[in-house]
């Protein structure tokens, strides 16, 4: 009975997920004029019905068994949160002062895992790919973020409680209010009103400031908790603003991403790399976003660690020399076609095939998708619960060529952990335009060749007479025009028109623009950028969910099944009982482990071995070494236990550090260890 209900709950959950994807694709089609609002409304109505059916199945299971279903996301999340906070993986910051939303402190195991994960990322990408790693300040001058677009466009709409001043994100407040109206059993809305509310819900995230204000007013949305009036919505920039220097006259911001530090250093990095492209630069560091309503633990916070790569490449050649090494990998790809099709499900596909079919735009982007998939597997993300979702056309920035998100399935749904984008040459052009510094590269041709080029020759005499002290600025602006802009200017000047260039009025006779054929040895161009951007905290949380389980037959015994590579502590050392000889041997083994670069803990408490195993299982320690009387009086061997299988073997003291080191480095497997060393039967007290 219970197993049957569990299966029904799982099927119901899959139906909800699929219908959610259907709603998203219909919204995209609605934007493109390829779907009717009625179809979107019907899909949303069906999604609501499926959610109610899922909830009913979960309640039926709880009534029949007296337990919470294993498929219950809330139950799993609550159980995991209890372990993470109790064992101090991470906790809310400033707890003794009531905490501040969106900030978390990593405790000893969390700090160790984060360090292990970032070092694994550094080894996997920076070291293996010969990337240039940089470290840039978190405080960034306003002009840098003005050029990138963050000052003007990095906003959400916010409202405030008219009495208390408390702030709320407008779209979240409206969504919550509309959903409450639909669920109101005492005063249910009319069928016509239900349709109207569902239509509005379908597009809440795309409302402009005026339409958001109208919707909040029409539905009489009030401040949660107080019921007070709310202010009209207004754009709120998500960056933390500050001032630089004692006078306070230079505006700065805490960086919202690490990428801009790499872009502004492009010229020096190119010089450091001998002027050669392609090359990649990387940075690991904290970024800051002043979220209006932080929630979902580590998934939406105000300070977080990013690991970003900017791979600079000739836009005319986005092949990758190492693509063959990942071409046969088959990650789950959720392409635009699959999202807009009937099945709404990601499918495994080789990256080579995806590039050949034009699903992924180029080899370099596909290469980083493959390397990202391998990294996820390496740190303990379940490959069956991760996918790469291609942005729908309306989701992409106008300058982007192709974008994919590395998403991981959790109790919160599919969570974006990595963004992989071909950003064309947008970023370098934006900073070059603002700074007036050349951020280009030079491509030398194998042999000189004849090419038609556009010559822009300013009339210095005429410019000097008209613009005087601004002559230099006007000349530089004219000479900086690309081929298209120059020919457009020529057409207007030839027609006798006065045209603005960089804010200056350019009249006929001020510049000579013509096409000529020249022998050229190379060309100057602005490189394109392929950007993989990783959210370390999000990846950690997803890993926590994927690694958490309880022992079969004992739901109180939680285990964090971390990969040894990222586990906070690699081994524990247990003296069987409190005896000086055993403690001394345990201390020596601990020193051997430390010398081998393996973090370890000696547990000399008087608890049984079984209880000590359970305590270290809960923080994810993969291996345990037990020192018993045979270790000091017999053959000198110790017991080595593996966490997930709970299997034990006898290993000579002098070899145990090397054995664990090889297991942690993935140079050996537990199966190989059990073949080499004799098994040790666990007693009842052991487990």
């Amino acid at each position: 009975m219970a197993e049957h209900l569990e299966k029904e709950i799982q099927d119901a959950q899959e139906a909800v997920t699929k219908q959610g994807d259907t709603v998203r694709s219909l919204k995209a089609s609605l934007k493109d004029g390829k779907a009717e609002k009625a179809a979107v409304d019907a899909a949303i109505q069906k999604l609501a019905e499926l959610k109610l059916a899922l909830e009913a199945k979960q309640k039926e299971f709880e009534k029949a068994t007296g337990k919470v279903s294993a498929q219950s996301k809330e139950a799993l999340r609550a159980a995991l949160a209890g372990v993470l906070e109790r064992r101090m993986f991470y906790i809310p910051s400033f707890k003794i002062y009531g905490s501040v939303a969106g900030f978390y402190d990593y405790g000893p195991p969390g700090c160790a895992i984060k360090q292990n994960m970032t070092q694994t990322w550094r080894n996997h990408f920076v070291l293996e790919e010969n990337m240039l790693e940089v470290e840039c300040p978190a405080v960034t001058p306003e002009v840098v973020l003005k050029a990138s677009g963050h000052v003007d466009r990095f906003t959400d709409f916010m409202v405030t409680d008219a009495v208390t001043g408390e702030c709320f994100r407008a779209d979240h407040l409206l969504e919550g209010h509309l959903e409450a109206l639909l669920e109101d059993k005492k005063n249910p809305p009319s069928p016509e009103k239900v349709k109207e509310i569902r239509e509005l819900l379908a597009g809440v995230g795309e409302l402009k400031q005026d339409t958001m204000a109208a919707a909040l007013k029409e539905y009489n949305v009030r401040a949660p908790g107080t019921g007070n009036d709310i202010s009209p919505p207004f754009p709120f920039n998500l960056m933390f603003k500050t001032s630089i220097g004692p006078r306070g006259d230079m505006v700065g911001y805490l960086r919202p991403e690490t990428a801009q530090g790499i872009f502004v250093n492009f010229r020096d990095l190119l010089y450091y790399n001998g002027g050669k492209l392609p090359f990649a630069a990387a940075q690991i560091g904290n970024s800051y976003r002043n979220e209006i309503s932080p929630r979902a633990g580590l998934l939406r916070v105000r300070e977080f660690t990013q690991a970003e790569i900017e791979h600079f490449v000739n836009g005319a050649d986005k092949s990758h020399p190492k693509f063959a090494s990942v071409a046969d990998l088959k990650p789950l790809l959720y392409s635009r076609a699959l999202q807009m099709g009937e099945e709404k499900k990601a499918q495994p596909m080789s990256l080579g095939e995806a590039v050949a079919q034009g699903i992924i735009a180029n080899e370099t982007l596909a290469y980083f998708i493959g390397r990202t998939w391998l990294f996820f597997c390496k740190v303990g993300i379940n490959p069956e619960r991760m996918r790469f979702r291609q942005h729908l056309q309306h989701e992409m920035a106008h300058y982007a060529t192709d974008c994919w998100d590395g998403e991981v399935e959790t109790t919160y749904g599919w969570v974006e952990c990595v963004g992989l984008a071909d950003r064309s040459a947008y970023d370098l052009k934006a900073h070059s335009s603002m700074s007036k510094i050349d951020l280009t590269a030079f491509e030398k041709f194998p042999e000189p060749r004849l090419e038609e080029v556009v010559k822009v020759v300013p009339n210095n005499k005429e410019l000097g007479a008209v613009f005087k002290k601004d002559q230099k600025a006007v000349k530089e602006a004219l000479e900086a025009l690309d081929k298209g802009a120059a020919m457009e200017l020529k057409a207007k000047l030839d027609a006798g028109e006065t045209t603005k260039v960089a804010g200056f009025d350019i009249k006929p006779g001020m510049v000579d623009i013509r096409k000529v054929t020249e022998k050229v040895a190379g060309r100057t161009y602005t490189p394109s950028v392929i950007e993989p951007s990783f959210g370390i905290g999000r990846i950690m949380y997803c890993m926590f969910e994927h690694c958490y389980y309880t022992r079969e037959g004992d739901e109180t015994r939680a285990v964090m099944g971390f990969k040894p590579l990222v586990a906070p502590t690699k081994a524990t050392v247990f003296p069987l009982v409190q005896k000086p000889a055993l403690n001394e041997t345990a201390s020596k083994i601990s020193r051997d482990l430390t010398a081998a670069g393996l973090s370890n803990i000696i547990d000399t408490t008087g608890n049984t071995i079984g209880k000590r195993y359970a305590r270290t299982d809960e923080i994810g320690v993969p291996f345990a070494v037990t020192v018993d009387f045979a270790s000091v009086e017999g053959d000198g061997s110790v017991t080595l236990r593996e966490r997930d299988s709970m299997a034990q073997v006898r290993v000579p003291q002098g070899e145990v550090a090397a054995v664990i080191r090889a297991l942690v480095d993935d140079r050996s497997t537990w199966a190989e260890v059990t073949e080499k060393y004799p098994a040790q039967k666990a007693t009842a007290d052991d487990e």
Side-chain angles (χ1 to χ4, degrees):
M1 175 68 173
E3 288 182 6
H4 178 68
L5 285 172
E6 282 274 13
K7 180 66 169 61
E8 288 186 344
I9 291 170
Q10 184 177 352
D11 291 344
Q13 181 61 62
E14 288 176 357
V16 167
T17 301
K18 183 176 179 180
Q19 187 63 20
D21 287 343
T22 298
V23 170
R24 180 166 57 185
S25 66
L26 281 171
K27 286 182 182 179
S29 296
L30 182 64
K31 265 196 163 186
D32 296 336
K34 297 176 182 176
E36 299 293 329
K37 277 191 175 182
V40 177
D41 294 340
I44 292 173
Q45 175 68 37
K46 184 177 178 182
L47 178 60
E49 292 169 358
L50 289 170
K51 286 181 177 178
L52 289 172
L54 172 61
E55 187 178 331
K57 288 291 181 188
Q58 289 173 334
K59 287 180 178 178
E60 184 182 351
F61 180 89
E62 291 172 25
K63 185 176 180 180
T65 65
K67 299 178 181 179
V68 177
S69 165
Q71 302 294 328
S72 171
K73 296 180 178 181
E74 292 75 14
L76 172 61
R77 197 184 302 154
L80 174 61
V83 173
L84 293 175
E85 187 158 345
R86 185 176 70 255
R87 300 311 302 266
M88 211 175 170
F89 282 87
Y90 65 90
I91 57 175
S93 300
F94 322 115
K95 276 179 71 175
I96 64 171
Y97 291 102
S99 304
V100 178
F103 294 99
Y104 289 91
D105 295 338
Y106 289 102
C111 201
I113 287 174
K114 186 182 175 191
Q115 173 62 30
N116 292 340
M117 183 169 286
T118 53
Q119 190 56 48
T120 300
W121 187 92
R122 183 177 278 111
N123 292 342
H124 185 77
F125 288 105
V126 179
L127 188 63
E128 290 190 36
E129 306 294 338
N130 291 314
M131 293 180 179
L132 309 180
E133 187 173 5
V134 298
E135 183 176 327
C136 306
V139 177
T140 307
E142 183 179 41
V143 65
V144 175
L145 296 165
K146 187 79 173 173
S148 68
H150 286 87
V151 171
D152 297 324
R153 298 190 295 274
F154 199 59
T155 58
D156 280 333
F157 291 126
M158 184 169 78
V159 296
T160 59
D161 185 310
V163 177
T164 67
E166 188 174 355
C167 302
F168 306 96
R169 187 164 151 176
D171 57 343
H172 290 173
L173 204 59
L174 180 58
E175 281 177 345
H177 184 78
L178 294 176
E179 287 168 356
L181 289 177
L182 292 175
E183 294 170 5
D184 190 343
K185 305 300 182 187
K186 291 184 178 179
N187 301 295
S190 66
E192 294 78 15
K193 199 66 176 175
V194 167
K195 181 180 178 182
E196 180 185 304
I197 291 171
R198 292 195 185 284
E199 283 184 1
L200 182 56
L201 264 174
V204 165
E206 295 152 20
L207 294 179
K208 305 298 183 186
Q209 187 172 355
D210 56 346
T211 50
M212 176 69 76
L216 291 168
K217 184 176 181 180
E218 178 184 351
Y219 287 93
N220 193 30
V221 179
R222 308 183 77 78
T226 65
N228 296 328
D229 290 337
I230 57 174
S231 71
F234 56 93
F236 172 75
N237 193 291
L238 298 177
M239 293 191 294
F240 286 96
K241 193 173 185 178
T242 187
S243 59
I244 301 172
R247 294 197 308 177
D249 56 353
M250 179 181 284
V251 176
Y253 296 90
L254 293 181
R255 63 187 178 194
E257 61 182 24
T258 63
Q260 301 309 317
I262 298 175
F263 294 135
V264 300
N265 281 307
F266 168 75
R267 190 170 67 157
D268 293 311
L269 289 167
L270 180 64
Y271 178 78
Y272 179 88
N273 202 49
K276 295 180 294 184
L277 279 176
F279 75 85
Q283 181 169 197
I284 301 173
N286 280 10
S287 295
Y288 306 83
R289 297 180 185 179
N290 197 9
E291 297 283 354
I292 298 169
S293 306
R295 56 186 180 179
L298 294 182
L299 299 183
R300 188 170 293 280
V301 292
R302 288 172 166 146
E303 179 177 356
F304 53 96
T305 299
Q306 281 187 302
E308 294 195 287
I309 298 165
E310 307 302 331
H311 182 92
F312 298 100
V313 63
N314 185 336
D317 180 12
K318 294 178 181 176
S319 61
H320 197 286
K322 295 170 66 176
F323 179 65
S325 67
V326 301
D328 293 333
L329 294 180
K330 291 186 176 182
L332 290 173
L333 298 183
Y334 201 19
S335 65
R336 288 191 198 108
L338 288 172
Q339 292 175 67
M340 302 300 287
E342 287 295 320
E343 195 174 358
K344 311 292 181 194
K345 189 175 182 181
Q347 298 292 342
M349 176 181 280
S350 77
L351 294 172
E353 185 181 351
V355 172
Q357 293 185 19
I359 295 171
I360 300 176
N362 54 73
E363 283 188 2
T364 297
L365 184 57
Y367 177 74
F368 281 110
I369 288 175
R371 292 290 293 163
T372 298
W373 186 83
L374 291 171
F375 173 74
F376 274 177
C377 293
K378 188 176 285 189
V379 299
I381 300 296
N382 183 346
E384 295 180 2
R385 297 176 63 195
M386 60 177 166
R387 70 184 185 189
F388 292 89
R389 186 185 73 83
Q390 188 174 30
H391 284 203
L392 297 174
Q393 205 62 50
H394 75 276
E395 294 179 283
M396 293 213 305
H398 66 278
Y399 52 78
T401 302
D402 195 11
C403 299
W404 294 75
D405 287 339
E407 298 181 332
V408 180
E409 188 181 24
T410 71
T411 59
Y412 291 99
W414 287 95
V415 174
E416 177 196 344
C417 293
V418 184
L420 300 110
D422 182 337
R423 297 175 58 85
S424 66
Y426 172 80
D427 302 282
L428 292 181
K429 285 182 176 179
H431 284 296
S432 184
S433 175
M434 180 68 76
S435 66
K436 311 303 180 190
I437 298 296
D438 180 48
L439 298 176
T440 59
F442 183 76
E443 177 189 10
K444 186 176 181 180
F445 299 144
E447 295 289 339
R449 60 196 191 200
L450 292 175
E451 280 192 359
E452 187 180 71
V453 298
V454 174
K455 282 280 191 182
V456 178
V457 183
N459 185 331
N460 291 325
K461 184 177 179 180
E462 185 73 14
L463 295 181
V466 175
F467 297 109
K468 298 182 172 56
K469 63 182 178 61
D470 290 325
Q471 177 189 358
K472 183 181 178 183
V474 177
K475 181 182 178 182
E476 289 176 350
L478 289 169
E479 291 175 339
L481 293 174
D482 60 27
K483 184 177 180 179
M487 293 309 295
E488 185 179 343
L489 175 61
K490 174 179 169 58
K492 291 180 179 179
L493 294 177
D494 288 349
E497 298 178 21
T498 297
T499 305
K500 282 194 178 296
V501 174
F504 299 102
D505 288 330
I506 305 300
K507 299 179 180 180
M510 290 184 174
V511 61
D512 178 31
I513 303 173
R514 59 184 182 273
K515 288 183 178 179
V516 297
T517 300
E518 291 184 346
K519 182 179 283 190
V520 294
R523 71 181 184 101
T524 298
Y525 66 96
T526 303
S528 290
V529 174
I530 311 293
E531 179 189 72
S533 176
F534 295 72
I536 297 300
R538 286 189 171 196
I539 297 171
M540 283 179 63
Y541 179 78
C542 294
M543 181 192 69
F544 289 152
E545 279 206 10
H546 286 203
C547 290
Y548 173 80
Y549 66 94
T550 56
R551 292 290 183 203
E552 188 175 352
D554 188 353
E555 294 181 4
T556 65
R557 286 193 60 178
V559 182
M560 300 300 293
F562 300 133
K563 289 285 189 81
L565 187 66
V566 296
T569 302
K570 309 306 182 189
T572 46
V573 185
F574 301 143
L576 183 63
V577 292
Q578 289 304 299
K579 296 288 184 180
L582 299 186
N583 289 345
E584 184 179 336
T585 301
S587 295
K588 182 184 182 306
I589 291 172
S590 175
R591 291 194 297 271
D592 291 343
L593 292 170
T594 302
L598 297 165
S599 55
N600 63 91
I601 300 171
I602 298 181
D603 188 340
T604 57
T605 59
N607 290 324
T608 65
I609 286 294
K611 288 182 178 179
R612 283 185 273 178
Y613 282 155
R615 189 163 58 238
T616 56
D617 286 349
E618 201 174 44
I619 61 169
V621 181
F623 306 108
V625 179
T626 301
V627 178
D628 54 25
F629 291 105
S631 306
V632 295
E633 299 172 358
D635 61 6
S637 65
V638 294
T639 298
L640 178 62
R641 177 220 191 223
E642 195 271 335
R643 176 197 59 221
D644 296 320
S645 66
M646 297 189 291
Q648 301 178 16
V649 293
R650 298 294 294 190
V651 179
Q653 289 180 41
E655 297 178 26
V656 71
V659 169
I660 296 175
R661 179 77 265 176
L663 288 165
V664 169
D665 293 342
D666 213 18
R667 291 183 285 108
S668 177
T669 65
W670 183 250
E672 290 170 344
V673 171
T674 57
E675 285 180 11
K676 182 176 180 180
Y677 298 102
Q680 166 76 41
K681 186 177 180 180
T683 66
D685 286 341
D686 288 344
E687 304 300 342

